[in-house]
Amino acid sequence: MHRLRPVHYLMIAPAQLMLAAVIILPAASLLWLSLERFTYGRSPEFVGLANYAYILADRAFWRATLNTFLVVNVVVYGELLLGLGMALLVAGWIPCRRLVVSALLAPYAITEVSAVVMWRYMLEPDIGMINYALSALGLGQIDYGGDPTAALGVAAVMAIWMHAPFTFLILYAALLTVPNELVEAARVDGAGAWQVFRHVKFRLIVPAILIALLFRYITAMRLFAEIWLLTEGGPARMTEVLAVYLYRHAFKYHDFGVAAATGFAMLVLSLAIAMPYLVQMYRRMLRDAA
Amino acid sequence: MRPRPAARAARALLAALAVAWSAFPILLVALSSFKEGHRIFETPPSFVFVPTLEHYERLWEKWPDFFANMANSLAVTFGATLLTVATATLGGYVHARFRSRLLTGAAFAMIVVRMLPPIVVTLPLFPVVNWLRIHDTHLLLVGIYATFFVSLSTWIMKAFIERIPRELEEAAFVDGAGLRQILRRVILPLSANGIFAASVFVLVYSWNEYFFALIFTTRAAKTAPLVISEILSTVEGVDWGLLFAAATLQLLPIVVFVMAAQRYVVAGLAAGSVKG
């Protein structure tokens, strides 16, 4: 019974077929699509690298790339700091731990749409509680509709709020595996809280930090709804990110070729970021298979 | 070990801040949905008020379809979760028990696929979906949502099934059980925790998904998050009370679910992402 039989391949077939039909084949055909001019009512026409030439010459594309780069980095590192802080806090002594962990997880259950609802409500001009408080303190207001930097900042805060539970949980789980004897030994040797963190805990959770960073780099790049439902990329396309740029060209301008070129760039970028992880996984899997 | 009182107070305060950061926006929306319209923008927000259902009544009158959209969300979520768990359990068993070059290749493909940005598949899929006439159907969303989580779920099932001793299968085999019976009588009951962990992620995702619903539905299969975004973007200005009522109906069940399923979220993450 421990021989691999054809029926076992049949059992992995449904998952592989789904992946092939919905992700792998479409992703592969993207390259082809990006070499065509393709819109409604006209048959596709091969245009070589023209779509790539178009996006590389398009200021809006570079703006979207820069915005994506900035927001992704703010989100990923902001979330790492927040998630690490939460994990260190919860892994030590706190009252009602189970309840606190539940509350910290809650944003994971919220759709991007409702997150935008919440933050837009708090940021309503003049009357939203954040802007009301800021202007009461004489600090001005956060004008996400007019100020691109403010809009990107708000989108970043929303993304951090929604995804902090992921980073928190991964780091919390890693901290729980740090042996107590190591921490005690360091204390006996006279290490303070910071030194215990720096030289013991931090070193042991570095792999978990790297995993959290990698996964969040790749998923943060997908940012769409936070911007689209906040500003639609405006004013004057100043707050677009790559996903919004792609969406606008595909589903507003019906210029699928340009959108496909953008998509292909995003795909290559994602794979490039994931490459060290993928190579490591590949080696480990080959070793396990042998 | 309990720290000194001063340190305890500091830690309790920090914990309260962290809880406020995470839970306050959610509570705010849920509570405000029961406030009279003119009190919604009271500053500072009051948490003591006479609750009213006026916004829910208006939601019922002005957006009667919202409840059908909630039903769509439910159907799509249920379908996607079922499809994911079924395929992931079959696949997870094989990946847990057998090794071959082809299986390694298949497993590696699943990891690579998780790195691709989902948005890119909309472009090639769009014409195909129209050609197949499955635009705006539950089936399409079920297929897409399940596919994006079948990889993580297979990985989770593999991790859980690996913990079931092979001897149990061998004993069943000696008793004359075939593969189907072994799966049903041994693997399924003993991997119930894994099945639950594998379903949590796809369930939350399908219930909340916005982007694919925006692109691939127009009327019949429209899901709740999409309609909430439409209520948010009405040109006559936002009707906050009504919007909060809709958002609350959508988020309350899933927030309660995630909190209750806490340990499965933790177990699933550990099996699914940390170990790759």
Side-chain angles (χ1 to χ4, degrees):
Chain A
M1 79 175 260
H2 289 302
R3 283 214 354 261
L4 190 56
R5 290 181 285 132
V7 61
H8 295 124
Y9 285 114
L10 222 56
M11 287 167 69
I12 64 162
Q16 292 293 326
L17 283 178
M18 282 159 68
L19 292 175
V22 179
I23 308 181
I24 299 174
L25 289 179
S29 69
L30 197 65
L31 179 61
W32 182 249
L33 211 58
S34 75
L35 301 176
E36 289 181 334
R37 176 164 299 134
F38 186 23
T39 184
Y40 287 129
R42 281 178 44 188
S43 50
E45 166 195 1
F46 185 84
V47 293
L49 295 174
N51 291 320
Y52 291 94
Y54 174 88
I55 59 171
L56 291 180
D58 185 5
R59 285 175 61 93
F61 175 79
W62 289 108
R63 180 80 205 197
T65 307
L66 177 70
N67 287 343
T68 307
F69 176 81
L70 293 174
V71 173
V72 165
N73 277 292
V74 168
V75 167
V76 169
Y77 290 102
E79 209 178 294
L80 181 66
L81 284 180
L82 185 67
L84 186 59
M86 287 173 170
L88 284 168
L89 184 71
V90 176
W93 180 92
I94 52 158
C96 336
R97 179 177 290 116
R98 247 192 85 85
L99 209 65
V100 171
V101 174
S102 286
L104 296 190
L105 272 189
Y108 164 65
I110 304 297
T111 170
E112 304 106 294
V113 180
S114 294
V116 174
V117 169
M118 292 165 194
W119 289 90
R120 268 181 65 169
Y121 164 61
M122 295 189 282
L123 290 164
E124 269 288 279
D126 303 323
I127 51 176
M129 64 190 68
I130 295 177
N131 274 332
Y132 180 88
L134 285 177
S135 45
L137 294 168
L139 294 172
Q141 298 202 20
I142 297 172
D143 172 23
Y144 64 80
D147 175 2
T149 316
L152 293 171
V154 171
V157 169
M158 291 194 292
I160 292 174
W161 182 79
M162 265 186 291
H163 299 287
F166 172 80
T167 309
F168 157 67
L169 274 186
I170 286 193
L171 300 183
Y172 176 52
L175 276 175
L176 291 183
T177 64
V178 173
N180 233 334
E181 302 85 72
L182 279 185
V183 175
E184 289 303 320
R187 287 225 177 93
V188 169
D189 289 346
W194 168 250
Q195 283 171 311
V196 168
F197 169 70
R198 171 78 184 74
H199 295 292
V200 182
K201 291 179 183 169
F202 182 75
R203 289 196 177 190
L204 290 172
I205 63 168
V206 162
I209 290 178
L210 290 179
I211 288 284
L213 279 180
L214 175 111
F215 270 87
R216 284 300 292 138
Y217 255 110
I218 287 174
T219 49
M221 260 176 50
R222 302 168 182 177
L223 183 83
F224 173 79
E226 293 90 330
I227 293 284
W228 185 249
L229 294 175
L230 196 67
T231 65
E232 296 203 351
R237 303 188 72 179
M238 296 285 277
T239 60
E240 280 186 1
V241 286
L242 283 171
V244 171
Y245 181 90
L246 186 157
Y247 176 78
R248 187 184 288 283
H249 278 271
F251 299 102
K252 298 284 161 187
Y253 303 162
H254 305 300
D255 195 348
F256 290 107
V258 166
T262 311
F264 193 70
M266 288 175 73
L267 193 147
V268 170
L269 199 59
S270 293
L271 284 179
I273 295 171
M275 199 48 86
Y277 171 76
L278 289 175
V279 168
Q280 199 197 344
M281 286 306 293
Y282 185 69
R283 290 214 184 107
R284 193 196 301 177
M285 289 169 78
L286 278 187
R287 209 171 51 226
D288 287 354
Chain B
M1 180 192 72
R2 280 166 80 88
R4 285 168 292 129
R8 281 220 306 269
R11 287 185 144 269
L13 182 71
L14 283 174
L17 277 178
V19 168
W21 156 264
S22 307
F24 180 70
I26 303 172
L27 280 177
L28 199 62
V29 162
L31 287 176
S32 300
S33 73
F34 296 105
K35 273 186 191 176
E36 288 170 56
H38 64 274
R39 299 191 64 179
I40 283 181
F41 276 103
E42 257 177 358
T43 325
S46 58
F47 291 100
V48 186
F49 54 88
V50 184
T52 165
L53 289 177
E54 60 173 89
H55 305 302
Y56 291 87
E57 283 161 13
R58 246 189 10 274
L59 177 66
W60 178 261
E61 283 159 18
K62 288 195 173 170
W63 296 78
D65 287 350
F66 180 74
F67 298 89
N69 303 126
M70 286 280 284
N72 283 343
S73 279
L74 197 65
V76 168
T77 301
F78 186 74
T81 306
L82 208 65
L83 180 58
T84 307
V85 169
T87 48
T89 307
L90 289 176
Y93 171 77
V94 175
H95 286 292
R97 290 300 192 231
F98 301 100
R99 294 281 175 271
S100 82
R101 216 171 261 254
L102 203 59
L103 283 180
T104 306
F108 187 65
M110 290 200 300
I111 294 179
V112 175
V113 158
R114 283 175 68 189
M115 305 298 150
L116 306 178
I119 186 174
V120 303
V121 306
T122 56
L123 303 167
L125 281 184
F126 199 70
V128 180
V129 162
N130 287 332
W131 181 68
L132 290 173
R133 296 170 185 276
I134 50 172
H135 184 85
D136 202 19
T137 59
H138 296 98
L139 190 71
L140 175 63
L141 290 184
V142 165
I144 293 178
Y145 295 166
T147 305
F148 276 98
F149 274 79
V150 75
S151 159
L152 173 66
S153 298
T154 303
W155 227 247
I156 293 174
M157 289 312 297
K158 169 179 182 280
F160 275 86
I161 291 172
E162 273 170 349
R163 287 178 215 159
I164 302 173
R166 275 168 188 269
E167 290 74 26
L168 293 179
E169 281 179 56
E170 274 155 25
F173 182 65
V174 171
D175 288 346
L179 178 61
R180 195 178 305 178
Q181 280 167 313
I182 288 178
L183 283 176
R184 211 170 59 205
R185 302 257 164 79
V186 182
I187 300 299
L188 268 188
L190 291 174
S191 59
N193 278 342
I195 289 177
F196 207 70
S199 40
V200 169
F201 297 93
V202 61
L203 192 151
V204 173
Y205 173 79
S206 312
W207 182 255
N208 286 335
E209 207 280 334
Y210 168 70
F211 185 72
F212 287 121
L214 172 69
I215 290 185
F216 288 120
T217 69
T218 43
R219 214 172 55 82
K222 218 188 243 181
T223 53
L226 192 55
V227 183
I228 296 175
S229 82
E230 285 172 6
I231 302 177
L232 176 68
S233 323
T234 41
V235 277
E236 317 91 80
V238 185
D239 182 341
W240 288 100
L242 190 151
L243 179 61
F244 290 159
T248 304
L249 288 175
Q250 194 272 346
L251 66 78
L252 220 52
I254 198 75
V255 168
V256 170
F257 173 80
V258 163
M259 285 178 150
Q262 192 192 111
R263 74 190 183 92
Y264 296 99
V265 177
V266 176
L269 265 189
S273 41
V274 177
K275 288 169 194 154

